Amino acid sequence: MNMIDSYFYKLPEKLIANEPAKPRDRSRLLVFNSAEDKIIDDVFSNLNFFLKKGDLLVLNDSKVFPARIFGTKETGGKIEVLLLEDCGDSWLAMVGGKTKLGDKVLFQQNLEGEIVEKNGKLAKITFNQRGADFWQTIEEIGKTPIPPYIKNTKLSERKLRNEYQTVYSNNYGSAAAPTAGLHFSKKQIGELLDHGVAVKYINLNIGLGTFAPLTPENLLSKKLHSEKFQIPSSTIRKIIQTKKEGGRVIAVGTTTVRTLESAAKTIIKNEDKITNIAGSTEIFVQPGFKFKIVDSLITNFHLPSSSLMMLVAALIQDKGINDGREKLLEIYKYAINKKYRFYSFGDAMLIL
């Protein structure tokens, strides 16, 4: 069995969440206490019971945009486009339907695209609209890019734009939500602040890395698809202060982990000269990885055989558990038996 297959598990389809919990913070919370090798069942609204004064929550404030657009080729064929990353003069996208280099695609609101690069389902597309005009059109014609495993949602497009978005989202650019953050309500964030837990933000725009399946090439190169990130100086300053004072840095979501651990050397090296950090990450976190910034993690239950499962297993192992993969699969089996809800709209997991 190869490494990718060793992270496979069977999930009953009825445990795939098609809609979020109501209200958001009433989703269930599975807590794994690594120090005691113990699982605790709770609800997300009780998160503050597991955090303490001096801890720091770091969240990804990237905002999902209506990245799915539907068009027609000049020959009449229907095309679905998932916009993944703004490359300046073109967009990286996943394209559904038969296309070839040079094909022109017509969309509503006089938007036209041309395929200028092609690699399987991936393509680069140039559009006849840019800037504010382009974004206004996307707002009007685009659909929320919920994952394909959410098949039976009863939520309208208007409701999806609200539900598939964190309450603190701020910077447009993601083709998927940083789903670990979907559990937070504004009220709960306020309560955590009152409790003495600091809250700071990073930004990583979620793109191809979330949609592309893990490949043997990823394992060989130890890299994933590149994603851009930014860390404000205020967040860096708070991370350094928290570490010095013995608090825990708790990442909300795997995107936050990738961002912080990618920038760890820069954060530590430039401790006395703190500035914003902007860069990109290809980091592929697997068991054996030594975490330099992140102490704990809030995350969802992830797809089988995914890089996200490997990241969670790596943190479990780094916290002193002998075999992170084995322990993670044990936790997932427990969650399935307890009928936790899985994936983007599903329940949450806290690793301490």
Side-chain angles (χ1 to χ4, degrees):
M1 182 186 292
N2 65 36
M3 189 189 291
I4 296 172
D5 290 341
S6 73
Y7 281 84
F8 180 78
Y9 66 92
K10 284 187 177 178
L11 180 72
E13 194 169 340
K14 64 183 179 182
L15 295 184
I16 298 174
N18 287 305
E19 294 176 18
K22 292 283 188 182
R24 288 173 182 250
D25 59 9
R26 291 304 293 175
S27 62
R28 293 169 72 189
L29 176 67
L30 183 154
V31 181
F32 176 62
N33 183 328
S34 58
E36 299 178 17
D37 195 1
K38 179 182 172 186
I39 294 173
I40 303 161
D41 298 302
D42 215 308
V43 290
F44 199 81
S45 55
N46 287 338
L47 178 65
N48 63 326
F49 295 161
F50 301 97
L51 306 185
K52 55 195 178 191
K53 186 176 181 180
D55 284 343
L56 168 63
L57 275 179
V58 185
L59 305 96
N60 181 5
D61 68 1
S62 187
K63 190 171 187 176
V64 182
F65 70 101
R68 291 174 68 212
I69 55 175
F70 300 85
T72 309
K73 291 192 295 183
E74 290 178 309
T75 54
K78 301 293 184 186
I79 299 296
E80 178 180 344
V81 173
L82 175 63
L83 299 170
L84 295 173
E85 183 183 339
D86 186 352
C87 301
D89 58 350
S90 64
W91 272 86
L92 177 68
M94 290 182 80
V95 179
K98 290 183 178 178
T99 57
K100 63 182 185 300
L101 207 59
D103 274 352
K104 288 186 169 61
V105 185
L106 309 175
F107 302 91
Q108 293 173 295
Q109 300 298 112
N110 300 315
L111 182 67
E112 296 179 14
E114 180 179 349
I115 295 176
V116 293
E117 286 184 31
K118 193 143 184 351
N119 180 13
K121 288 188 175 181
L122 277 181
K124 280 196 174 178
I125 305 175
T126 57
F127 290 99
N128 65 333
Q129 296 177 16
R130 299 294 301 165
D133 291 340
F134 175 80
W135 284 111
Q136 185 176 336
T137 296
I138 295 302
E139 278 285 341
E140 291 176 13
I141 71 171
K143 302 291 184 186
T144 301
I146 58 171
Y149 50 73
I150 298 177
K151 295 173 183 172
N152 302 309
T153 185
K154 295 171 186 172
L155 297 175
S156 65
E157 173 61 25
R158 184 178 64 82
K159 285 188 176 178
L160 273 175
R161 288 199 185 188
N162 179 58
E163 299 290 356
Y164 194 61
Q165 196 81 269
T166 63
V167 296
Y168 50 80
S169 63
N170 190 36
N171 295 293
Y172 244 169
S174 277
T179 54
L182 294 179
H183 307 282
F184 286 92
S185 63
K186 287 182 177 177
K187 177 173 176 281
Q188 185 178 26
I189 291 173
E191 288 171 350
L192 287 165
L193 290 168
D194 291 342
H195 185 63
V197 175
V199 177
K200 291 292 180 182
Y201 300 92
I202 58 93
N203 178 266
L204 180 141
N205 286 331
I206 302 169
L208 180 61
T210 289
F211 296 94
L214 200 55
T215 66
E217 288 74 25
N218 294 134
L219 296 178
L220 284 171
S221 66
K222 297 185 178 177
K223 290 180 180 178
L224 298 175
H225 180 77
S226 179
E227 291 176 310
K228 296 174 183 174
F229 68 80
Q230 293 185 25
I231 310 176
S233 57
S234 59
T235 300
I236 297 167
R237 195 173 290 112
K238 194 65 185 176
I239 288 170
I240 292 167
Q241 181 190 346
T242 301
K243 289 286 191 183
K244 280 183 175 177
E245 294 176 357
R248 296 172 296 185
V249 175
I250 301 158
V252 177
T254 55
T255 57
T256 302
V257 174
R258 292 186 76 221
T259 299
L260 295 179
E261 293 300 324
S262 294
K265 285 182 183 175
T266 308
I267 291 171
I268 294 162
K269 190 171 72 175
N270 295 328
E271 186 177 326
D272 299 323
K273 194 176 76 174
I274 298 167
T275 56
N276 296 350
I277 298 174
S280 61
T281 177
E282 296 177 322
I283 193 171
F284 183 1
V285 179
Q286 305 171 53
F289 184 87
K290 297 298 177 188
F291 289 78
K292 299 176 180 67
I293 300 291
V294 174
D295 299 300
S296 297
L297 170 65
I298 296 169
T299 189
N300 281 27
F301 295 97
H302 301 292
L303 289 166
S305 302
S306 61
S307 63
L308 306 183
M309 282 191 73
M310 291 188 186
L311 183 150
V312 179
L315 181 61
I316 290 171
Q317 190 162 306
D318 194 51
K319 293 181 77 64
I321 300 296
N322 188 43
D323 187 330
R325 181 193 68 85
E326 190 177 273
K327 178 56 66 176
L328 180 65
L329 290 173
E330 182 186 313
I331 293 168
Y332 271 43
K333 185 177 180 181
Y334 175 92
I336 290 167
N337 288 337
K338 289 282 189 173
K339 295 184 167 51
Y340 276 78
R341 299 161 74 244
F342 275 59
Y343 306 158
S344 294
F345 280 144
D347 295 317
M349 176 177 169
L350 169 63
I351 299 167
L352 292 174

